[in-house]
Structures are given as C-alpha cells and as structure tokens.
Amino acid sequence: MLLDLATSVAAVNALIAKHPLLPAEEVVPSAHGVSVHLYGGHADFEAWREALGIAPEDVLFRVRGNGGTSMSADAEFSGVTIALLGYGDPLPETPAALKAVA
C-alpha cells in the first residue's frame, strides 16, 4: 500500500530539508527504508557518507568486473535505514584514501 511508504518518504523529505545539495541520481523509498544509488563516482558517495555520519571503515568496497568500484554502507536517518550504493572508477590507492580522492 502507498501508506507503507509514508515513513520512508518523510525521511527523504527530511534529507532534502537538511542536505538539499547532496547529489541524488536515484533515491528510492520503500516500506523497508530508502535506497540511494549514486553513479557520479567517489566524490558523490563521500558527500552522502559525511552527511549521514558514516565512518570510513564502515564502507564496503568491491571491485567490479569492469575494474571500477562499488561502495556501500547503511545508516539510520529519521528512524529509517538509508542504504547507499555508489559506483566509481578504480581507486588509485586503498579504500582508506577515499577521502583524498573526493
């Protein structure tokens, strides 16, 4: 039911109010939380990571088949789980250097 999305949609509205300049190619509210898919690279993911207060060591990195990376992390915001998934080029160094790339 559409009503099942109310809490997630309210969290998206709160994100817009608090962080209106965050990059947002794809934001999907569901009954289970909000998924944010970022295709603009490491800098876009880093902006969200910082805004949601996610520690760098809580980010999971994967090397994709094309040599690029995917980054994922979850956070709570306004009582809703926000699942971040970002895509980027290969990192020049270890994932700890992500902040330097951004």
Side-chain angles (χ1 to χ4, degrees), residues 2-90:
L2 192 56
L3 182 60
D4 295 337
L5 301 177
T7 304
S8 293
V9 171
V12 171
N13 286 332
L15 277 166
I16 292 168
K18 187 170 183 177
H19 304 287
L21 301 179
L22 281 175
E25 290 94 355
E26 188 174 317
V27 177
V28 182
S30 74
H32 308 289
V34 177
S35 297
V36 178
H37 298 181
L38 302 164
Y39 303 97
H42 303 108
D44 285 1
F45 187 89
E46 181 67 7
W48 276 86
R49 186 196 65 74
E50 287 183 354
L52 293 175
I54 300 170
E57 58 270 15
D58 291 336
V59 176
L60 177 63
F61 291 86
R62 292 191 176 105
V63 177
R64 297 170 52 218
N66 65 358
T69 55
S70 67
M71 303 147 284
S72 61
D74 293 344
E76 291 290 317
F77 184 85
S78 291
V80 173
T81 299
I82 308 294
L84 298 180
L85 181 59
Y87 301 95
D89 294 327

